[in-house]
Amino acid sequence: MHENREISCTSCSKEQDRSAKAINRTADMHVQEKSDCAVVPVNLSNKEAQASAESGEGRAQTKENIVQSHKLPTQSGKGLSQGLRGVRQAARERKQERFTALLHHLNIGLLRDSFYALKRQASPGIDGVTWQEYETGLEDRLTDLLSRVHRGVYRAQPSRRVYIPKADGRQRPLGVAALEDKIVQQAVVTILNQIYEVDFKGFSYGFRPGRSPHQALDALAVGIQWKRVNWVLDADIRGFFDNMNHEWTMKFIEHRVADRRILRLIQKWLKAGVSEDGQWSETKLGTPQGAVVSPLLANVYLHHVFDLWVEAWRKKIAKGDVIVVRYADDLVLGFQYRTEAERFLREFRERLAKFGLELHADKTRLIEFGRFAARDRKQRGEGKPETFMFLGFTHYCGQRNSNGAFIVWRITAKRRMAAKLKAIKAELQRRKHHRTTEVGAWLRKVVLGYYQYHAVPGNSTQLRIFARRVCWLWRTVLVRAVNVLRWGGIDSIHS
């Protein structure tokens, strides 16, 4: 193993560095570094000769390839240092290598950018410290935090357990990390993203910089419409975040990361435990949903458990067309042949079992779905094709109004809309004594945010239904509170 060292070119004068920081908050980040690494197994290549219709699954071109800039985009949209740019370049050029020196990229500038990338109104963790409180005396706090991280005396705190309602009425457990843990996790994620964004497959969309649920939805629709898809496997991994094996997680990370200090930080977060009602409990499995680092760990886990494996399966075993779209632990696959779909499902169950995972029996379905599904089912007297849900939308087989061509229509899932309306009703009840203009402004933001996600082709009817029900809810609350209708505020929703 060759140890890699990166050499910073910052000035030796502290006064010069301080003056640079006064002009640019990230002045000490923009230094050139160099890296050498060691060897890990090569990832399997993508299946060749994919038709252009499946390009929706392909990897989006990274900004650094098309923008002449000394910075790279991060999750927060800020620039990266030249050192991190070197990490990404090394990861791209030498895919068999492990990085042995990464922690020195975690500097005061990266911590500062990580702090400002956090949600300012997020609930505090077990420490009770809010974003606004931490901003007071920020530079001194970050300097102390950086010192503790590099001296190895930083200690991760337990996550505070909270529960949020799910669309099906159950409660989803979340882990709210302490603010300093969030900052360090965000910084480490920014560093590791330079490696893993090179490695991750094009059909993986969840919680990745520059990728969105809408891209996953569009890739799925394009794949079903233009490839020879007759069967769809809608797969859901049961309690994935709660059942990630810690040993396997670390082994997967070690395929690319050999910096023991970074690995120890990840181990600290995995072993920090959970605090619920003042009682600490150890976490032997899983990673808290809600932690900044959890989405990256989940993607690395499934990259090795699923992505590499399904890519090899599609290349070596499948005879017909196979499309894949993954958003975190939500998976949808399309198959040309039913026999291959059934074989894949059997082998996928066996694959997951090796890593302590299993498919949710009630949420995993293989259905007849595609261009010829309606015709074939009608001939057999079986009725319309079944539907499936993905990322909050119900997908069903349809036809274009203009020429009758096959199309995948998407509408907001009924239980997703019902859950949103229920949450709005509860919040309106809480705000019923607030000024009408204030409630109207808040409600307008909620509705616009809902529109931004759910406004997809073919879903206009559901959006109109949602708007009418929101107006009715507000009217009902106003009538009960003051027995007076104030439609002027309600009209602001549509303005």
Side-chain angles (χ1 to χ4, degrees):
M1 180 185 298
H2 300 287
E3 184 179 8
N4 65 322
R5 298 286 184 184
E6 284 89 4
I7 303 170
S8 298
C9 299
T10 47
S11 66
C12 297
S13 168
K14 294 182 179 179
E15 294 300 323
Q16 281 183 328
D17 288 340
R18 289 196 188 99
S19 63
K21 289 178 184 177
I23 300 173
N24 181 2
R25 293 192 317 178
T26 58
D28 56 353
M29 294 176 61
H30 306 303
V31 294
Q32 294 197 5
E33 319 268 349
K34 58 184 180 181
S35 299
D36 298 305
C37 316
V39 176
V40 294
V42 177
N43 290 337
L44 297 169
S45 62
N46 286 320
K47 185 177 182 179
E48 296 179 356
Q50 295 291 334
S52 60
E54 201 174 6
S55 62
E57 285 188 53
R59 176 176 302 282
Q61 188 177 27
T62 53
K63 288 187 179 180
E64 66 179 2
N65 292 331
I66 58 176
V67 180
Q68 297 297 324
S69 172
H70 295 294
K71 301 179 182 180
L72 288 174
T74 65
Q75 288 175 310
S76 62
K78 296 183 179 295
L80 291 179
S81 70
Q82 289 284 2
L84 289 182
R85 182 172 186 170
V87 171
R88 176 174 288 218
Q89 186 69 21
R92 177 182 294 108
E93 294 175 354
R94 302 188 290 275
K95 292 183 176 295
Q96 293 182 323
E97 298 179 353
R98 304 170 68 199
F99 289 80
T100 60
L102 292 171
L103 189 67
H104 69 277
H105 292 292
L106 199 158
N107 53 35
I108 195 71
L110 182 56
L111 286 180
R112 187 185 300 112
D113 288 343
S114 299
F115 170 76
Y116 283 105
L118 299 178
K119 294 182 179 179
R120 306 190 178 192
Q121 303 301 324
S123 299
I126 195 174
D127 58 348
V129 179
T130 65
W131 190 94
Q132 290 75 14
E133 292 171 347
Y134 199 87
E135 191 180 26
T136 304
L138 178 63
E139 292 304 314
D140 291 339
R141 292 177 184 267
L142 294 181
T143 300
D144 176 66
L145 177 60
L146 180 68
S147 175
R148 282 184 279 130
V149 170
H150 282 276
R151 287 187 292 115
V153 298
Y154 158 81
R155 295 291 180 266
Q157 299 188 58
S159 297
R160 181 173 65 87
R161 175 69 77 205
V162 297
Y163 294 90
I164 61 172
K166 298 177 66 175
D168 58 7
R170 295 181 299 162
Q171 296 287 313
R172 182 190 301 277
L174 296 181
V176 182
L179 189 63
E180 284 195 338
D181 292 336
K182 292 180 182 179
I183 296 172
V184 180
Q185 287 180 20
Q186 178 64 59
V188 170
V189 166
T190 300
I191 295 171
L192 295 184
N193 269 341
Q194 310 317 306
I195 301 172
Y196 289 113
E197 280 304 301
V198 175
D199 292 349
F200 287 157
K201 299 303 175 184
F203 51 76
S204 169
Y205 291 89
F207 308 112
R208 293 179 55 188
R211 295 201 159 204
S212 69
H214 285 153
Q215 290 176 327
L217 290 164
D218 291 343
L220 179 61
V222 169
I224 294 176
Q225 289 171 197
W226 294 102
K227 301 296 285 184
R228 289 169 291 188
V229 172
N230 299 311
W231 296 88
V232 165
L233 174 61
D234 178 18
D236 183 272
I237 302 176
R238 183 190 295 271
F240 170 69
F241 282 89
D242 297 329
N243 291 291
M244 288 171 53
N245 183 281
H246 289 177
E247 292 182 7
W248 279 117
T249 301
M250 297 309 302
K251 287 180 181 179
F252 294 149
I253 293 290
E254 288 170 6
H255 272 287
R256 283 296 247 167
V257 178
D259 189 330
R260 305 309 303 177
R261 300 166 298 175
I262 293 289
L263 295 175
R264 280 196 295 270
L265 284 175
I266 296 174
Q267 287 176 326
K268 288 179 180 180
W269 295 324
L270 290 175
K271 301 295 184 182
V274 173
S275 177
E276 184 173 1
D277 298 328
Q279 297 294 320
W280 178 84
S281 59
E282 182 182 4
T283 50
K284 297 181 180 180
L285 286 173
T287 178
Q289 293 190 59
V292 176
V293 75
S294 292
L296 176 62
L297 297 181
N299 273 333
V300 172
Y301 203 96
L302 286 176
H303 174 73
H304 289 274
V305 172
F306 176 76
D307 295 357
L308 298 179
W309 175 77
V310 73
E311 188 177 61
W313 195 96
R314 178 167 62 175
K315 180 178 180 180
K316 297 179 179 180
I317 298 177
K319 303 300 181 183
D321 286 350
V322 178
I323 67 167
V324 185
V325 175
R326 179 174 71 82
Y327 194 93
D329 57 334
D330 289 332
L331 319 167
V332 177
L333 297 94
F335 297 86
Q336 182 176 354
Y337 302 123
R338 179 174 183 172
T339 54
E340 290 186 352
E342 292 173 342
R343 176 179 177 178
F344 176 86
L345 182 56
R346 290 194 303 269
E347 296 179 5
F348 186 32
R349 294 183 192 275
E350 296 172 1
R351 173 74 176 174
L352 289 178
K354 294 178 181 179
F355 300 95
L357 300 172
E358 64 177 350
L359 291 176
H360 197 295
D362 297 331
K363 295 183 179 180
T364 300
R365 299 184 306 140
L366 178 62
I367 63 173
E368 189 174 10
F369 193 100
R371 180 180 304 276
F372 305 111
R375 182 198 67 186
D376 294 345
R377 291 178 66 86
K378 184 177 181 180
Q379 291 176 354
R380 299 194 301 265
E382 297 179 352
K384 295 182 180 180
E386 295 182 76
T387 63
F388 68 92
M389 281 183 53
F390 183 58
L391 299 181
F393 290 90
T394 299
H395 293 64
Y396 64 95
C397 298
Q399 293 180 330
R400 295 183 184 274
N401 295 329
S402 57
N403 56 11
F406 170 73
I407 188 173
V408 178
W409 289 119
R410 301 165 293 184
I411 62 173
T412 303
K414 291 182 179 179
R415 65 182 186 185
R416 179 66 65 91
M417 182 190 293
K420 186 65 176 179
L421 290 171
K422 182 178 180 181
I424 291 175
K425 180 180 179 180
E427 185 64 17
L428 284 173
Q429 289 287 352
R430 194 183 69 84
R431 294 172 178 253
K432 63 183 178 181
H433 296 303
H434 293 195
R435 295 182 62 179
T436 305
T437 53
E438 295 177 359
V439 179
W442 166 79
L443 200 54
R444 185 171 187 270
K445 291 181 180 179
V446 171
V447 173
L448 288 178
Y450 186 89
Y451 277 18
Q452 286 177 355
Y453 183 79
H454 292 272
V456 299
N459 198 36
S460 57
T461 299
Q462 296 297 104
L463 294 179
R464 286 194 293 269
I465 292 173
F466 177 80
R468 286 198 298 267
R469 292 183 179 177
V470 168
C471 290
W472 181 85
L473 285 174
W474 194 15
R475 176 181 180 275
T476 301
V477 170
L478 288 175
V479 168
R480 290 177 179 175
V482 297
N483 203 25
V484 175
L485 299 179
R486 298 178 180 178
W487 284 101
I490 295 178
D491 288 340
S492 66
I493 296 177
H494 302 289
S495 63

